[in-house]
Coordinates of all heavy atoms in Angstrom, one line a residue:
W1243 N 69.6 -61.1 -6.7 CA 68.6 -61.4 -5.7 C 68.4 -62.9 -5.4 O 67.5 -63.3 -4.8 CB 67.2 -60.8 -6.2 CG 66.8 -61.1 -7.6 CD1 67.2 -60.3 -8.7 CD2 66.2 -62.2 -8.1 NE1 66.7 -60.9 -9.8 CE2 66.1 -62.1 -9.5 CE3 65.7 -63.4 -7.6 CZ2 65.5 -63.0 -10.3 CZ3 65.1 -64.3 -8.4 CH2 64.9 -64.2 -9.7
C1256 N 60.5 -68.6 -26.1 CA 59.3 -68.9 -26.8 C 58.7 -67.6 -27.4 O 57.7 -67.6 -28.0 CB 58.3 -69.6 -25.9 SG 57.9 -68.6 -24.5
G1257 N 59.4 -66.5 -27.1 CA 58.9 -65.2 -27.6 C 57.9 -64.6 -26.6 O 57.1 -65.3 -26.0
C1258 N 58.0 -63.3 -26.4 CA 57.1 -62.6 -25.5 C 57.2 -61.1 -25.9 O 57.8 -60.8 -26.9 CB 57.5 -62.8 -24.1 SG 59.1 -62.1 -23.6
E1259 N 56.7 -60.2 -25.1 CA 56.7 -58.8 -25.4 C 58.2 -58.2 -25.4 O 58.5 -57.2 -26.1 CB 55.9 -58.0 -24.4 CG 56.3 -57.9 -23.1 CD 56.0 -59.1 -22.1 OE1 55.4 -60.1 -22.6 OE2 56.3 -59.1 -20.9
L1260 N 59.1 -58.9 -24.8 CA 60.5 -58.5 -24.8 C 61.3 -59.2 -25.9 O 62.5 -58.8 -26.1 CB 61.2 -58.8 -23.5 CG 60.6 -58.1 -22.3 CD1 61.4 -58.6 -20.9 CD2 60.8 -56.6 -22.4
Y1269 N 67.8 -60.9 -22.3 CA 69.0 -61.6 -22.3 C 68.9 -63.1 -22.6 O 69.7 -63.7 -23.3 CB 69.7 -61.5 -20.9 CG 69.1 -62.3 -19.8 CD1 69.6 -63.5 -19.5 CD2 68.0 -61.7 -19.1 CE1 69.0 -64.2 -18.4 CE2 67.5 -62.5 -18.0 CZ 68.0 -63.7 -17.7 OH 67.4 -64.4 -16.7
F1322 N 66.4 -69.6 -8.5 CA 65.6 -69.0 -9.5 C 65.3 -70.2 -10.6 O 66.2 -70.7 -11.1 CB 66.3 -67.9 -10.3 CG 65.6 -67.2 -11.4 CD1 64.3 -67.5 -11.8 CD2 66.3 -66.3 -12.1 CE1 63.7 -66.9 -12.9 CE2 65.7 -65.6 -13.2 CZ 64.4 -65.9 -13.6
I1323 N 64.0 -70.6 -10.7 CA 63.7 -71.6 -11.7 C 63.5 -71.0 -13.1 O 62.6 -70.1 -13.2 CB 62.3 -72.3 -11.2 CG1 62.5 -72.9 -9.8 CG2 61.9 -73.4 -12.2 CD1 61.2 -73.4 -9.3
G1324 N 64.2 -71.5 -14.0 CA 64.0 -71.0 -15.4 C 64.6 -69.7 -15.7 O 63.9 -68.9 -16.3
D1325 N 65.8 -69.4 -15.4 CA 66.4 -68.1 -15.7 C 66.7 -68.0 -17.1 O 66.9 -66.8 -17.7 CB 67.7 -67.8 -14.8 CG 68.9 -68.7 -15.2 OD1 68.6 -69.9 -15.5 OD2 70.0 -68.2 -15.1
M1326 N 66.8 -69.1 -17.9 CA 67.2 -69.0 -19.3 C 66.0 -69.5 -20.2 O 66.3 -69.7 -21.4 CB 68.4 -69.8 -19.6 CG 69.7 -69.2 -18.9 SD 70.0 -67.5 -19.2 CE 70.4 -67.5 -21.0
A1327 N 64.9 -69.7 -19.7 CA 63.7 -70.0 -20.5 C 62.5 -69.9 -19.6 O 62.6 -69.9 -18.4 CB 63.8 -71.4 -21.0
D1328 N 61.4 -69.6 -20.2 CA 60.1 -69.5 -19.5 C 59.6 -70.9 -19.3 O 59.1 -71.6 -20.3 CB 59.1 -68.6 -20.1 CG 58.0 -68.3 -19.2 OD1 57.6 -69.1 -18.4 OD2 57.4 -67.2 -19.4
T1329 N 59.6 -71.5 -18.2 CA 59.3 -72.9 -17.9 C 57.9 -73.1 -18.1 O 57.5 -74.3 -18.4 CB 59.7 -73.3 -16.5 OG1 61.1 -73.0 -16.2 CG2 59.5 -74.8 -16.2
L1330 N 57.0 -72.1 -18.1 CA 55.6 -72.3 -18.4 C 55.2 -72.1 -19.8 O 54.1 -71.9 -20.2 CB 54.8 -71.3 -17.4 CG 54.4 -71.9 -16.1 CD1 53.9 -70.8 -15.2 CD2 53.4 -73.0 -16.3
Q1331 N 56.2 -71.9 -20.7 CA 56.0 -71.7 -22.1 C 55.2 -72.8 -22.7 O 55.2 -73.9 -22.2 CB 57.2 -71.5 -22.9 CG 58.1 -72.7 -23.0 CD 59.4 -72.4 -23.7 OE1 59.4 -72.2 -24.9 NE2 60.5 -72.4 -23.0
K1332 N 54.4 -72.5 -23.7 CA 53.6 -73.5 -24.5 C 54.6 -74.6 -25.0 O 55.7 -74.3 -25.4 CB 53.0 -72.8 -25.7 CG 52.1 -73.6 -26.5 CD 51.4 -72.9 -27.6 CE 50.5 -73.8 -28.4 NZ 50.0 -73.1 -29.6
V1334 N 55.6 -77.0 -22.8 CA 55.9 -77.8 -21.7 C 54.7 -78.4 -21.0 O 53.8 -77.7 -20.5 CB 56.7 -76.9 -20.6 CG1 57.1 -77.6 -19.4 CG2 57.9 -76.2 -21.3
F1336 N 51.9 -80.0 -18.6 CA 51.6 -79.7 -17.2 C 52.0 -80.9 -16.4 O 52.4 -80.7 -15.2 CB 50.1 -79.3 -17.1 CG 49.7 -77.9 -17.5 CD1 48.5 -77.7 -17.9 CD2 50.6 -77.0 -17.5 CE1 48.0 -76.4 -18.4 CE2 50.3 -75.6 -17.9 CZ 49.0 -75.4 -18.4
L1339 N 55.6 -80.4 -15.5 CA 55.7 -79.3 -14.5 C 55.4 -79.8 -13.1 O 56.0 -79.5 -12.1 CB 54.9 -78.1 -14.8 CG 55.4 -77.4 -16.1 CD1 54.4 -76.3 -16.5 CD2 56.8 -76.9 -16.0
V1343 N 58.7 -80.0 -11.2 CA 58.8 -78.7 -10.5 C 58.1 -78.8 -9.1 O 58.7 -78.8 -8.1 CB 58.4 -77.5 -11.3 CG1 58.5 -76.2 -10.5 CG2 59.2 -77.4 -12.6
W1357 N 62.3 -71.0 -3.5 CA 62.2 -71.2 -5.0 C 61.5 -70.0 -5.6 O 60.5 -69.6 -5.1 CB 61.6 -72.4 -5.4 CG 62.2 -73.7 -4.8 CD1 61.9 -74.2 -3.5 CD2 63.1 -74.6 -5.4 NE1 62.7 -75.4 -3.4 CE2 63.4 -75.6 -4.5 CE3 63.7 -74.5 -6.6 CZ2 64.3 -76.6 -4.8 CZ3 64.6 -75.6 -6.9 CH2 64.9 -76.6 -6.0
M1358 N 62.1 -69.4 -6.6 CA 61.4 -68.3 -7.3 C 61.1 -68.8 -8.7 O 62.1 -69.0 -9.5 CB 62.4 -67.1 -7.4 CG 62.9 -66.6 -6.0 SD 61.6 -65.8 -5.0 CE 61.4 -64.3 -5.9
W1359 N 59.8 -68.9 -9.0 CA 59.4 -69.4 -10.3 C 58.7 -68.2 -11.0 O 57.5 -67.9 -10.7 CB 58.6 -70.6 -10.1 CG 58.2 -71.3 -11.4 CD1 58.8 -71.1 -12.6 CD2 57.2 -72.4 -11.6 NE1 58.2 -72.0 -13.6 CE2 57.3 -72.8 -13.0 CE3 56.4 -73.0 -10.7 CZ2 56.5 -73.8 -13.4 CZ3 55.5 -74.0 -11.2 CH2 55.6 -74.3 -12.6
L1360 N 59.4 -67.6 -11.9 CA 58.8 -66.4 -12.6 C 58.4 -66.8 -14.0 O 59.0 -67.7 -14.7 CB 59.8 -65.3 -12.6 CG 60.5 -65.0 -11.3 CD1 61.6 -63.9 -11.5 CD2 59.5 -64.5 -10.3
S1361 N 57.3 -66.2 -14.5 CA 56.9 -66.5 -15.9 C 56.1 -65.3 -16.5 O 55.6 -64.5 -15.7 CB 55.9 -67.6 -15.8 OG 55.3 -67.9 -17.1
K1362 N 56.2 -65.2 -17.7 CA 55.4 -64.1 -18.5 C 54.2 -64.8 -19.1 O 53.5 -64.2 -19.9 CB 56.3 -63.6 -19.6 CG 57.5 -62.8 -19.1 CD 58.3 -62.2 -20.2 CE 59.5 -61.5 -19.6 NZ 60.7 -61.7 -20.4
Q1363 N 54.0 -66.1 -18.8 CA 52.9 -66.8 -19.4 C 51.7 -66.9 -18.4 O 51.4 -68.0 -17.8 CB 53.3 -68.2 -19.7 CG 54.6 -68.2 -20.6 CD 54.4 -67.5 -21.9 OE1 53.3 -67.6 -22.5 NE2 55.5 -66.9 -22.3
A1364 N 51.1 -65.7 -18.1 CA 50.0 -65.6 -17.1 C 48.9 -66.6 -17.4 O 48.3 -67.2 -16.5 CB 49.5 -64.2 -17.0
K1365 N 48.4 -66.6 -18.6 CA 47.3 -67.5 -19.0 C 47.6 -69.0 -18.6 O 46.8 -69.7 -18.1 CB 46.9 -67.4 -20.4 CG 46.3 -66.0 -20.7 CD 45.9 -65.9 -22.2 CE 45.3 -64.6 -22.5 NZ 45.0 -64.4 -23.9
R1366 N 48.8 -69.4 -19.0 CA 49.2 -70.8 -18.7 C 49.3 -71.0 -17.2 O 49.0 -72.1 -16.7 CB 50.5 -71.2 -19.4 CG 50.3 -71.5 -20.8 CD 51.2 -72.3 -21.5 NE 51.9 -73.4 -20.8 CZ 51.8 -74.7 -21.0 NH1 51.0 -75.1 -21.9 NH2 52.5 -75.5 -20.3
M1367 N 49.8 -70.0 -16.5 CA 49.9 -70.1 -15.0 C 48.5 -70.4 -14.4 O 48.3 -71.2 -13.5 CB 50.5 -69.0 -14.4 CG 50.9 -69.1 -13.0 SD 51.9 -67.7 -12.4 CE 53.4 -68.1 -12.9
V1368 N 47.5 -69.6 -14.9 CA 46.1 -69.8 -14.4 C 45.6 -71.2 -14.7 O 45.0 -71.8 -13.9 CB 45.2 -68.7 -15.0 CG1 43.7 -69.0 -14.7 CG2 45.6 -67.3 -14.4
E1369 N 45.9 -71.7 -15.9 CA 45.5 -73.0 -16.3 C 46.1 -74.1 -15.5 O 45.6 -75.2 -15.3 CB 45.8 -73.3 -17.8 CG 45.0 -72.4 -18.7 CD 45.5 -72.5 -20.2 OE1 46.3 -73.4 -20.5 OE2 45.1 -71.7 -21.0
F1370 N 47.4 -73.9 -15.0 CA 48.2 -74.9 -14.3 C 47.9 -74.7 -12.8 O 48.6 -74.2 -12.0 CB 49.7 -74.6 -14.6 CG 50.5 -75.6 -13.8 CD1 50.5 -76.9 -14.1 CD2 51.4 -75.2 -12.8 CE1 51.3 -77.8 -13.5 CE2 52.2 -76.1 -12.2 CZ 52.2 -77.4 -12.5

Side-chain angles (χ1 to χ4, degrees):
W1243 49 266
C1256 61
C1258 69
E1259 69 276 5
L1260 295 177
Y1269 73 94
F1322 179 8
I1323 300 171
D1325 68 324
M1326 295 306 294
D1328 193 327
T1329 307
L1330 270 167
Q1331 67 184 289
K1332 186 178 177 183
V1334 180
F1336 286 153
L1339 294 173
V1343 178
W1357 302 85
M1358 303 291 287
W1359 190 10
L1360 309 175
S1361 177
K1362 294 178 185 145
Q1363 308 300 323
K1365 288 180 182 177
R1366 282 203 32 117
M1367 189 174 281
V1368 169
E1369 293 170 12
F1370 181 66

